[in-house]
Amino acid sequence: VCSSDLMIFTCKTKNLKEAVFQMEKIVSKQTTLPILGNLLIEAKKNQLILSATNLEIAIQIILGAKIEKEGEITVPPKILGGFLSNIKDDIVSGELIKNELNLTSENDKISIKGIDANDFPIIPQRDNEKNFFELDGETFSKAISGVLVSVAHNDTRQELNGIFMKLEEEQIVLASTDSFRLTEVKIPLNKEMVTDEYHLFRERIDSLILPVQSLAEFHRTGAAKVSFSVNQKQAFINTDGILVISRIINGNYPEYTQVLPKKNEISVKINREKLLNAVKIASLVANNQNGEIKLKSLGEEKKIVVTAQSIDTGDNVSRVSAEIEGPDFEIFFNFRYLLDALNSDLFEGEELIIKLNQQKSPVIFSIPGKEAFFSYVIMPIIKD
């Protein structure tokens, strides 16, 4: 590590600004360790390395830069990001004098007080650079957007606050549940993009639970490709110049597949956007406490009727055309769970498949032709 009071760098304003905003979300808000509220900036060789951590996950972004003198400092991202957002110049230079980072552009200058980099927590590194597998970034991002909606928050069972990842020979499975709904997404692995390290690892450990934030951070990057590996109880999710490092949650994920119905009496094919609009209308008058809305089939008319009513707000009726196979049904849902699902990136198509039974078992939502790869499951509201 070079002396921390000699650092001079020059880089593109836009690149530095985007990196700071990418990292700001994980910077810790806790005040007991003020340094966790700062970003670490390291000038090394021809790179500017930015790091942030909240001790559960860390993110590192590498930027191309002209480095005249190497060094490092930690600074608050709010001030740094605010300055970069408000300057109009393409290039910005930084110089460290004692524990102050002086940033200069053609027309503006700011001096930001920092904290010595020696106090910053050590960011875990991989023992080797071998990845387990590489995935298409858009596919992975869509899968994440699906599982994020059904993760539990503040559950006493720590494992439910994370995302389950099953490592299988030809696919990885991502799943999450908060006991009221469940999402499962299967992503096929391209054999050419899988390494021997992956197969050796999964012989010992075939599943992981990752903190939500680690995958949510990746989801924001919009990367074209993503590579994944595990080392020393840390998961490394790597993409163009951005590395997310995450601890792995200890615990056993529930055997969620046991709650899924083995067969379904009823299948409904329906236009996603029309159903979404009907649910939005029903949500306007639904009882706010339990969010209850009703879906009822009119098999002969080939329609689903979506209704809600509340003493305080009123009632509604919306009809949506549907192809229905099986007996007529009526079922009650919390509208929030339906909206979360129907707004997810995973439901990108025009049509939706709903599979259910007359008795009140979990209801499966999927996309025609993709039922084997993706399902979103909601527990209906049981009426006495």
Side-chain angles (χ1 to χ4, degrees):
V1 174
C2 304
S3 168
S4 65
D5 60 355
L6 293 172
M7 175 170 81
I8 302 175
F9 66 84
T10 306
C11 68
K12 288 186 176 174
T13 306
K14 179 174 177 280
N15 295 352
L16 186 55
K17 179 180 76 173
E18 286 173 1
V20 171
F21 285 152
Q22 185 78 37
M23 309 183 90
E24 208 174 351
K25 304 219 173 36
I26 79 145
V27 168
S28 177
K29 303 292 184 283
Q30 60 155 302
T31 50
T32 47
L33 278 174
I35 196 151
L36 293 182
N38 277 9
L39 294 182
L40 172 64
I41 300 176
E42 299 171 275
K44 287 182 179 176
K45 297 177 182 168
N46 292 320
Q47 294 178 330
L48 208 56
I49 304 167
L50 276 69
S51 307
T53 182
N54 59 14
L55 300 182
E56 181 168 82
I57 75 164
I59 186 167
Q60 249 183 4
I61 298 180
I62 297 172
L63 302 175
K66 182 183 171 193
I67 308 297
E68 286 181 47
K69 285 185 180 171
E70 296 187 343
E72 54 184 15
I73 186 66
T74 79
V75 293
K78 195 172 180 187
I79 300 174
L80 177 59
F83 176 71
L84 295 167
S85 293
N86 287 296
I87 63 174
K88 300 295 178 233
D89 307 313
D90 292 338
I91 301 294
V92 64
S93 297
E95 183 177 8
L96 186 61
I97 298 170
K98 296 199 172 153
N99 271 349
E100 284 194 6
L101 179 63
N102 297 317
L103 288 175
T104 310
S105 70
E106 190 181 338
N107 295 297
D108 299 281
K109 184 178 178 182
I110 194 169
S111 179
I112 306 172
K113 290 192 186 300
I115 302 175
D116 195 300
N118 291 326
D119 298 330
F120 198 78
I122 293 167
I123 304 288
Q125 300 297 317
R126 291 189 286 185
D127 291 346
N128 62 45
E129 294 297 309
K130 292 271 177 76
N131 292 312
F132 283 5
F133 54 77
E134 198 174 89
L135 292 173
D136 171 70
E138 189 182 348
T139 304
F140 192 50
S141 197
K142 272 188 182 172
I144 293 168
S145 92
V147 290
L148 284 177
V149 298
S150 51
V151 177
H153 297 283
N154 307 318
D155 197 289
T156 51
R157 293 162 296 174
Q158 189 194 13
E159 56 273 17
L160 289 187
N161 298 320
I163 290 170
F164 177 71
M165 180 185 272
K166 184 88 191 299
L167 309 173
E168 297 184 353
E169 189 168 352
E170 295 185 349
Q171 63 183 11
I172 61 163
V173 182
L174 295 179
S176 64
T177 181
D178 60 6
S179 303
F180 301 104
R181 63 239 172 114
L182 156 76
T183 309
E184 182 187 68
V185 188
K186 296 172 180 174
I187 307 173
L189 291 170
N190 178 341
K191 284 181 182 173
E192 291 168 16
M193 299 295 183
V194 179
T195 63
D196 292 341
E197 279 76 13
Y198 173 70
H199 295 300
L200 287 168
F201 181 83
R202 57 176 289 275
E203 279 173 21
R204 294 184 294 114
I205 299 169
D206 67 356
S207 66
L208 310 165
I209 305 170
L210 296 174
V212 170
Q213 204 176 9
S214 60
L215 292 177
E217 282 309 314
F218 169 79
H219 181 52
R220 273 193 271 271
T221 65
K225 287 254 184 307
V226 57
S227 58
F228 182 89
S229 63
V230 178
N231 190 278
Q232 306 289 348
K233 294 194 174 174
Q234 303 281 341
F236 293 82
I237 305 169
N238 197 5
T239 182
D240 324 316
I242 301 176
L243 176 63
V244 176
I245 304 150
S246 168
R247 76 177 182 90
I248 292 166
I249 295 172
N250 288 324
N252 296 313
Y253 209 75
E255 293 284 348
Y256 64 86
T257 53
Q258 293 177 356
V259 305
L260 301 178
K262 298 291 178 271
K263 61 178 202 287
N264 299 282
E265 305 166 82
I266 304 158
S267 178
V268 178
K269 190 190 272 189
I270 194 165
N271 181 286
R272 181 183 74 96
E273 196 152 320
K274 288 177 181 172
L275 178 61
L276 178 60
N277 290 340
V279 172
K280 283 179 179 174
I281 292 167
S283 74
L284 300 172
V285 290
N287 179 320
N288 206 32
Q289 215 163 0
N290 64 3
E292 181 182 293
I293 65 170
K294 181 168 80 172
L295 270 64
K296 183 177 179 178
S297 65
L298 299 174
E300 288 180 7
E301 293 182 37
K302 295 187 176 178
K303 281 188 171 31
I304 297 289
V305 182
V306 181
T307 58
Q309 58 180 28
S310 160
I311 296 165
D312 300 324
T313 47
D315 56 65
N316 85 291
V317 178
S318 294
R319 294 167 184 262
V320 185
S321 298
E323 293 174 32
I324 303 163
E325 290 175 21
D328 274 343
F329 65 89
E330 73 172 33
I331 195 159
F332 296 83
F333 289 114
N334 180 323
F335 74 82
R336 297 175 188 90
Y337 298 159
L338 274 175
L339 290 181
D340 283 349
L342 298 175
N343 281 316
S344 156
D345 291 353
L346 276 170
F347 287 102
E348 79 278 355
E350 286 185 12
E351 289 190 318
L352 186 70
I353 295 282
I354 307 172
K355 295 199 168 173
L356 65 154
N357 293 302
Q358 277 185 307
Q359 80 274 22
K360 305 302 183 263
S361 62
V363 179
I364 300 173
F365 293 75
S366 195
I367 304 165
K370 291 196 178 176
E371 291 100 321
F373 293 106
F374 158 60
S375 51
Y376 178 85
V377 183
I378 308 180
M379 279 302 297
I381 295 172
I382 308 295
K383 307 289 279 184
D384 296 331

